Amino acid sequence: MPTHYDSKRLVHVGAERVSNVASTDFPGHYPDEDNSWNLDKFKEVRKGFVSPTNKYLNQRLARVETSGVDASIANAFRRILIAEVPTMAIERVYVWDNTTVIVDEVLSHRLGLVPLNVDPALFLYKTHPDEQATDRNTLVFKIDITCSRNPHPPPLKPNEDPSPSDLYINHELLSKHMVWEPAGGQEQALRGLPHPGPTNPNIVLAKLRPGQSVVMELHAVKGVGKDHAKFSPVATASYRLLPHIQILKPIPPHLGEKFQKCFSPGVIKIDPDTGEVSVDEENVRKDSVSREVLRHPEFADSVKLGRVRDFFMFNIETESAYPPERLFPEALKVMREKISIIRQAAEALKAQLEGTTADVEMVEA
């Protein structure tokens, strides 16, 4: 990663204001510079920067970096991640019995928000809400649970209060009580894959007491977040710009530690032998750009703060069947489909205009 960037690519962060926030790489902004868009030039200048890079992964979180695109493109990916990458979720709840204190509507809403571990690529959309449920567009789950007293509770220790788990059996309705009912060819189609169910089996949906029951049938369908938040595959999908810290003149050794404390931990390093202060170019991503350093007069002209306008660091936290490293490629797939539709519409419009022009020329002849 470059240690310094062209000032045209930087957002300048000052003590009181932020400047140079708008993109300037367009024709006519700089005299004697041709900034007209060209595909070959774009590929050459941005080589190695356009492709997203997974910087950090765990079971639920991906940190993806991409550079060389406008903020509008990065924001489009963020919005697609939230609202247009499909998932499976409970859409219809058939309540046969519910004698808990949670009313049917509230419990149904809770069930709809339970993330499912089912790959939506294996299923079709329902083209209409009243379309007949089939094994290609619907997954069926059943709930049948009744709370009863524990006939043999464990003995209590002195001064210990009994817990519901000791006194009762099935005192909580958990997401793991959603039992998949295979239909048609689903069992064959899903063979070798995780058993359909919630991604987290221990979500508490309701609390029961002896004699209370829940008997339901749940239908899960494929959908997208712009229709309902329950279909959103992410808990969070956000991005921020890469911080840029430039030390303009050497920091005196006796002020090194004070200078270091003005930034997030790990961003500024001090050589133990010489006392030289420098920026850790890998850990600079951790900086919050708090501008604390600009509050101190002794550092006011020693450092320049900014952010790289076209370097985006995404934080994507999955709450669905998608592993975190798959989410950004799925957003890319949706974007490509949108571009394909626009291209087809433009080509159809062009053909229509050319046909109209040809008809006019024939009339004139």
Side-chain angles (χ1 to χ4, degrees):
M1 186 183 72
T3 56
H4 299 295
Y5 292 85
D6 186 336
S7 61
K8 296 175 184 177
R9 292 180 63 188
L10 295 178
V11 175
H12 300 150
V13 179
E16 302 294 338
R17 61 192 295 266
V18 178
S19 59
N20 200 34
V21 296
S23 299
T24 57
D25 52 347
F26 54 85
H29 189 272
Y30 296 105
D32 302 323
E33 284 192 20
D34 179 17
N35 283 311
S36 56
W37 195 86
N38 179 279
L39 179 59
D40 294 331
K41 180 181 177 182
F42 177 83
K43 288 180 178 179
E44 181 62 31
V45 173
R46 307 304 188 190
K47 187 181 298 183
F49 287 96
V50 181
S51 299
T53 303
N54 289 319
K55 298 298 293 184
Y56 172 79
L57 285 173
N58 62 26
Q59 291 184 340
R60 287 292 169 193
L61 178 66
R63 291 179 181 170
V64 181
E65 294 182 356
T66 186
S67 179
V69 295
D70 190 75
S72 58
I73 303 298
N75 197 50
F77 285 125
R78 182 190 67 84
R79 293 174 66 94
I80 289 172
L81 284 165
I82 294 171
E84 296 189 62
V85 174
T87 64
M88 300 288 289
I90 303 298
E91 176 71 4
R92 296 201 171 191
V93 177
Y94 300 91
V95 182
W96 311 130
D97 188 18
N98 175 24
T99 54
T100 69
V101 296
I102 308 297
V103 297
D104 295 350
E105 293 83 355
V106 174
L107 185 53
S108 299
H109 183 262
R110 291 182 179 183
L111 288 164
L113 294 174
V114 173
L116 302 179
N117 66 351
V118 184
D119 188 346
L122 302 173
F123 291 85
L124 302 175
Y125 286 104
K126 269 193 169 185
T127 56
H128 189 273
D130 295 325
E131 180 184 348
Q132 183 177 0
T134 70
D135 60 344
R136 295 304 309 278
N137 61 23
T138 303
L139 273 173
V140 177
F141 297 89
K142 297 284 184 68
I143 293 178
D144 189 348
I145 181 175
T146 300
C147 180
S148 60
R149 293 188 182 275
N150 186 356
H152 304 290
L156 293 177
K157 297 179 181 179
N159 301 321
E160 182 184 19
D161 294 328
S163 68
S165 59
D166 295 333
L167 296 177
Y168 313 120
I169 298 172
N170 291 333
H171 72 288
E172 289 181 332
L173 171 60
L174 303 175
S175 52
K176 68 180 179 183
H177 292 125
M178 297 166 51
V179 180
W180 174 49
E181 293 284 330
Q186 288 180 350
E187 196 162 15
Q188 177 67 27
L190 299 176
R191 181 169 296 173
L193 298 174
H195 201 72
T199 58
N200 183 345
N202 298 314
I203 300 173
V204 179
L205 301 170
K207 297 201 173 187
L208 292 75
R209 288 300 178 263
Q212 296 181 348
S213 301
V214 177
V215 182
M216 292 178 168
E217 182 175 306
L218 321 173
H219 288 197
V221 301
K222 185 176 179 178
V224 292
K226 64 182 179 182
D227 292 333
H228 195 287
K230 67 186 177 185
F231 291 112
S232 181
V234 297
T236 58
S238 62
Y239 65 80
R240 60 192 182 95
L241 300 179
L242 177 71
H244 183 263
I245 303 169
Q246 184 179 359
I247 298 177
L248 302 177
K249 63 180 184 181
I251 306 299
H254 69 282
L255 295 176
E257 189 172 340
K258 181 179 181 180
F259 184 83
Q260 187 182 50
K261 290 180 178 179
C262 293
F263 299 87
S264 299
V267 173
I268 299 299
K269 56 185 179 181
I270 301 175
D271 189 290
D273 298 324
T274 64
E276 182 184 2
V277 177
S278 60
V279 179
D280 189 318
E281 297 299 339
E282 187 62 30
N283 285 331
V284 74
R285 292 168 170 79
K286 300 179 180 179
D287 194 52
S288 61
V289 193
S290 65
R291 295 183 276 192
E292 171 67 19
V293 69
L294 301 179
R295 294 179 61 250
H296 302 280
E298 59 268 36
F299 301 138
D301 57 350
S302 301
V303 64
K304 188 175 182 180
L305 304 181
R307 289 187 182 269
V308 184
R309 186 188 297 108
D310 61 352
F311 197 116
F312 303 93
M313 302 184 297
F314 283 83
N315 276 1
I316 305 170
E317 185 180 355
T318 179
E319 279 297 333
S320 64
Y322 296 105
E325 65 271 17
R326 184 179 160 192
L327 277 169
F328 205 94
E330 288 293 327
L332 285 168
K333 188 186 300 183
V334 174
M335 176 70 84
R336 289 174 67 90
E337 292 172 356
K338 289 176 174 289
I339 294 171
S340 177
I341 293 171
I342 294 173
R343 178 183 294 170
Q344 293 174 12
E347 290 174 349
L349 179 61
K350 179 182 178 182
Q352 183 180 359
L353 293 174
E354 289 176 348
T356 303
T357 302
D359 293 341
V360 171
E361 290 176 349
M362 288 179 63
V363 172
E364 290 179 348

